[in-house]
Amino acid sequence: MGRLLALVAALVAAALIAWTVEQPPKPLPASAPATAFSAERAMIDIRSFAARPHPMGSDANHAARDYLIGRMSALGLAPQVHRGVGLQPSRWVKGVVSGGEVENLIGVLPGRDRTAPAVALMAHYDSVPGSTGAADDAAGVASALEIVRALKAQGQPARDVMVVLTDGEERGLLGANAFFRGDPAARHVGYVFNLEARGDAGRVLMFQASPHDGGSVALLRRADHPQTSSLMTFAYARMPNDTDFTEALKAGVAGMNYAFLGRAFDYHAASSTPATLDLGSLQDVGRQVLGPARALAFGPALPAASPDLVYSQLFGNLLLAYPPAVGWLILLAAAGLIAVAVVRARRIEAFPWTDLARGAGAGLFAAVGAMTLLHFARRATGASFGLVEQHVLQAQASRWELALILLALGFLLTASAEIGRGRRQIAFLPLAAGLGSSLFGGLDALGFGMGVVAALLAVAAYGRPVSRPGAWGGVLILGLVAATATQALAAPMAFTFAWPLALATLGAAATDLSARRGVPALILLGISAAVGVGWLGGYAHTAFLALDAVEVLGIILLGAALLLWPLAQPAEGAPPERLIGPALIIIGLAVTVAVRVNDPYNPRFPRASDVIYQVDQDARRAWIVSATPDRPAWAEAVLKSGGGRITTLNDWIWGRPTAAAPAPFVREPGPEITLAAQTDGRLLLRAVPPPGGREITLRLTSDTPGLVETIQGVPAGVALPPGGAMRLRWVGAPQGVTLVLRPAGPGKLEVAYLAKLDRWPAGVAPLPKRPADVMAFGDSDSTYLTGTRRFAW
């Protein structure tokens, strides 16, 4: 019973540690000292310019620009509007380009040495069309202004501090692209802090640092309660995500990238407002960025490029960092401690060497089996994958996270309890979960494969009782193998295995692999488990927020197994302890069922609706389209309001079949699209949006190979293969866009267009008022004009 009490106490303490670490600080009032960062002061700006959506090129964005110019002037930054062209080829889809004319805002707090490389505080001031952008990224803008105000209050800095507020980030990092690619002011930037958000709450993460980050890591020690690790930087660099910081890295500018991720439901949603933004998260931006920014602004030099380090926060202000080679020494020490603990344990309580192999198999079974069970639960929720599709889970994020914790922990406790009995029947649990995954959404090869692998591991590892010291020793050896492989292949990530392993092996040696009984041994194992699992809990929570990939939690669970195993494996024939794991799994499945059947939408978390009036100007036909995968009753009623049958519309502008219903055709002026041949054989394609149009997309299809040389004067170099399509999305310039094409010879060109108007057409019945639990999303309530122009030369 003492071991059970130690296990329960360790889990409760770990939960408290993880919860405490993930809490943002209390916001400081507007009366805080002038040299401090105050979230209340920053909120004044957010409420002023982020009360309504302000996408690039809109009148609302122009109003936000003018407000920010006034604020920067009041701070003595002598702001300037730097106009330019941003052009961004897609990294993921060949032949797709985003572009537009941007208005970046640049202000400078003069330093004593105006020639020294400047420190830049960067954020973007535009929003997506359907959201006020209070968090993304008005929070970053207001934080930059509050930080530079606090720096100015301290006195004149040693070097210039620039405030770079970019335009057009939401349409493809266009403002940052224009700035770092061609703005002379960018050459003055020596180090940049980019401030972002992907939610409305939560701790701020420094999730990306520039290469050769040793100097940046040293700078992090100036932060208050930093939340960061080399794992985040390593993983983010391999993800299909970008921020304005991407453009700084392309230009060779060093720096760090910050964001908070909590309440991701509000990301790019109408529910993101100044009222829903967590002031604690805003305070955390200042808490983490002001210290490093102050150190650079008033310091003698910027961080020099130095070798990358392995690093992570521990607790509070404690940040541990070391060269990657030190990781091998940690693993060598862990290997030595495992060897000593196993030899001494066999002297105290003899067990066969095969117990180590079976224990390693049981540990791997616990990880793979938990991944299978978590995968099953994700499928069982019925939620699809995608930004809007995840809303049903994000609206009840706490409930869903609880279900995952119960399932993962329950499977670990079940696996550790059953190895003491050696019963192979446990193989049926992950196998059933793997097979059951196909009950939701069709055949699931991944779930089935993981279930089979887990079942085979159970058959190999189980079959006879295994001693606790032998099983734990095997689990530690498995952890050593995992840490060694990670150290060899991805050293920045290895600490996630190595540090829990080091802590566990210290406990193993001190208790001779848990063979020594008594209260002191249980206390030591309990404290080690609480600290290690609490620390891992923070990473598990971050993974939950950042990734819709619940299987990753199974990998983190392996680190927890290193510490929990000696407490989780009961003595043979101890039924109360053996029943805890299955009970947690049953409760976790019950919570998963609740997630599936519960309708989480309410006025705070409304269901998304994206209703568009689309006109085919060639065919003189029109539809009302519902663009969200989940069509709420309100959208269903709108589609049926015209009396037509709801059908499926297949159009290149949507990229997938979309629900639509016939609507009255309303004549709207179309875009002006012309093609002019030049004497040197080049072609000038000119597209001007219709009146009121803020955005136009062109799809070019040619029967002759060619090259798009420039777009609005910026070199493009985009191939135009015969029969293939090149797509350009142009935003923010009513005067339109000019493309210079160089064809290989005579030919024909088809230009399909999509012109967007930020209004509902006057000749169509107005949309009914939405209920409180339904919100407009994306381009909803706007008009899409489509058509085709054909040219020959």
Side-chain angles (χ1 to χ4, degrees), residues 666-677:
V666 174
R667 183 185 299 275
E668 293 276 3
E672 296 181 13
I673 301 178
T674 59
L675 185 72

Side-chain angles (χ1 to χ4, degrees), residues 307-713:
D308 291 330
L309 298 177
V310 176
Y311 60 93
S312 172
Q313 83 282 349
L314 291 173
F315 301 106
N317 284 323
L318 185 57
L319 182 77
L320 184 58
Y322 51 80
V326 174
W328 292 110
L329 298 179
I330 295 174
L331 298 183
L332 183 62
L337 288 171
I338 292 172
V340 169
V342 167
V343 170
R344 289 182 177 177
R346 294 186 78 242
R347 292 174 183 170
I348 300 170
E349 181 183 319
F351 59 84
W353 290 104
T354 54
D355 277 10
L356 297 175
R358 290 182 179 273
L364 190 56
F365 165 75
V368 178
M371 292 169 66
T372 308
L373 189 58
L374 295 172
H375 179 82
F376 167 80
R378 177 62 179 84
R379 299 269 296 187
T381 63
S384 299
F385 293 86
L387 179 62
V388 176
E389 291 85 343
Q390 293 178 59
H391 276 185
V392 67
L393 299 179
Q394 293 167 343
Q396 47 186 332
S398 297
R399 182 183 292 117
W400 174 227
E401 187 173 17
L402 175 62
L404 297 175
I405 292 171
L406 291 171
L407 291 172
L409 186 59
F411 197 91
L412 172 59
L413 298 183
T414 301
S416 57
E418 288 301 313
I419 194 67
R421 304 171 70 197
R423 299 178 62 184
R424 286 178 171 151
Q425 288 90 330
I426 195 174
F428 289 108
L429 177 56
L431 185 61
L435 292 170
S437 295
S438 295
L439 297 175
F440 310 99
L443 179 65
D444 178 24
L446 176 60
F448 176 74
M450 289 192 300
V452 169
V453 170
L456 292 175
L457 286 169
V459 170
Y462 294 71
R464 69 165 181 81
V466 178
S467 66
R468 185 187 299 120
W472 189 25
V475 171
L476 293 179
I477 291 172
L478 172 66
L480 179 64
V481 171
T484 301
T486 311
Q487 175 72 24
L489 300 175
M493 302 175 62
F495 71 90
T496 56
F497 288 125
W499 294 4
L501 177 66
L503 186 59
T505 54
L506 287 171
T511 63
D512 290 336
L513 217 59
S514 81
R516 297 190 183 277
R517 293 173 171 81
V519 173
L522 291 178
I523 291 176
L524 177 61
L525 293 174
I527 292 175
S528 298
V531 172
V533 175
W535 177 76
L536 284 170
Y539 278 97
H541 180 65
T542 299
F544 171 78
L545 295 177
L547 305 169
D548 188 14
V550 296
E551 298 81 6
V552 172
L553 301 178
I555 300 174
I556 297 174
L557 188 71
L558 180 57
L562 302 174
L563 295 153
L564 289 174
W565 203 280
L567 300 175
Q569 181 176 340
E572 188 176 355
E577 288 89 340
R578 287 193 292 103
L579 296 177
I580 294 177
L584 292 180
I585 292 175
I586 292 171
I587 298 172
L589 291 174
V591 177
T592 302
V593 171
V595 169
R596 181 182 177 98
V597 302
N598 178 57
D599 182 357
Y601 298 112
N602 54 53
R604 173 59 187 89
F605 297 108
R607 189 188 303 267
S609 64
D610 189 359
V611 172
I612 305 293
Y613 177 79
Q614 180 181 343
V615 179
D616 183 336
Q617 296 189 303
D618 297 335
R620 297 177 61 83
R621 297 182 59 191
W623 299 267
I624 294 179
V625 181
S626 177
T628 52
D630 177 24
R631 194 162 65 244
W634 177 87
E636 186 85 7
V638 170
L639 264 62
K640 292 179 178 178
S641 62
R645 184 174 61 89
I646 297 177
T647 184
T648 299
L649 186 65
N650 290 287
D651 199 317
W652 67 272
I653 70 171
W654 300 111
R656 57 177 174 79
T658 307
F665 174 79
V666 174
R667 183 185 299 275
E668 293 276 3
E672 296 181 13
I673 301 178
T674 59
L675 185 72
Q678 306 298 294
T679 56
D680 60 1
R682 294 185 299 175
L683 303 171
L684 261 61
L685 178 66
R686 176 86 174 149
V688 180
R694 187 179 51 82
E695 179 176 336
I696 186 168
T697 299
L698 306 175
R699 187 184 67 168
L700 278 57
T701 307
S702 173
D703 66 353
T704 302
L707 183 72
V708 180
E709 290 188 340
T710 65
I711 299 175
Q712 204 68 356

Side-chain angles (χ1 to χ4, degrees), residues 255-321:
M256 294 188 284
N257 207 359
Y258 294 80
F260 47 88
L261 313 177
R263 287 209 296 261
F265 180 95
D266 296 323
Y267 179 58
H268 285 182
S271 57
S272 176
T273 68
T276 61
L277 178 62
D278 188 338
L279 267 69
S281 301
L282 192 60
Q283 186 66 44
D284 205 18
V285 177
R287 182 170 74 165
Q288 293 196 45
V289 179
L290 177 56
R294 177 180 285 133
L296 294 188
F298 291 90
L302 299 180
S306 57
D308 291 330
L309 298 177
V310 176
Y311 60 93
S312 172
Q313 83 282 349
L314 291 173
F315 301 106
N317 284 323
L318 185 57
L319 182 77
L320 184 58

